[in-house]
Amino acid sequence: QVQLAESGGGVVQAGGSLRLSCAASGDTLSSYGMGWFRQAPGKEREFVAAVNRNDGMTHTADSVKGRFTISRDNAKNTVYLEMNSLKPEDTAIYYCAATSRFTTIIPTTGQSYDSWGQGTQVTVSS
């Protein structure tokens, strides 16, 4: 089973940018659809963005559309989340997740994913 490790989180001012990375080990990233989720204190886990296994199609949550971009580099076994125009409400722990169950489908629910990273904290100050 693939192991995932996120990095790139930190503290940034509103309007700033961060790029999160999710490095996969133990298996080939190209075998998995990948997603990013986030969870703020006292809130439910929320879907952010995902990219499918087959052809790199992506889906982004309305709350971050136009500001966040997911991408994958299979050669580097890494998935990225580019975050621009950050807002205080983007503050959360961000998790990447992997699923081998789908090829063209872009899963947006946590239950669709089998492997999770430990998370990386993103804090946006106003």
Side-chain angles (χ1 to χ4, degrees), residues 2-126:
V2 68
Q3 290 85 49
L4 305 173
E6 302 94 337
S7 62
V11 180
V12 63
Q13 287 190 332
S17 299
L18 283 174
R19 186 176 80 158
L20 305 184
S21 299
C22 173
S25 60
D27 205 345
T28 305
L29 189 69
S30 60
S31 300
Y32 297 87
M34 300 296 297
W36 284 97
F37 292 78
R38 67 186 182 184
Q39 188 165 19
K43 293 189 175 182
E44 296 286 320
R45 182 177 59 195
E46 175 187 21
F47 168 76
V48 176
V51 56
N52 74 359
R53 167 183 170 182
N54 188 42
D55 55 12
M57 291 292 289
T58 64
H59 180 70
T60 308
D62 288 344
S63 59
V64 302
K65 193 163 292 183
R67 300 188 297 121
F68 290 13
T69 303
I70 186 172
S71 62
R72 64 189 302 158
D73 186 337
N74 289 339
K76 295 183 178 180
N77 248 23
T78 302
V79 174
Y80 303 98
L81 184 68
E82 187 75 35
M83 305 186 296
N84 298 312
S85 302
L86 282 160
K87 304 175 181 180
E89 52 263 43
D90 295 320
T91 295
I93 300 175
Y94 284 71
Y95 300 90
C96 70
T99 178
S100 60
R101 296 184 239 169
F102 311 98
T103 52
T104 56
I105 291 174
I106 307 172
T108 62
T109 61
Q111 297 90 327
S112 300
Y113 291 84
D114 304 305
S115 301
W116 293 81
Q118 81 288 350
T120 185
Q121 176 72 47
V122 171
T123 302
V124 184
S125 62
S126 57

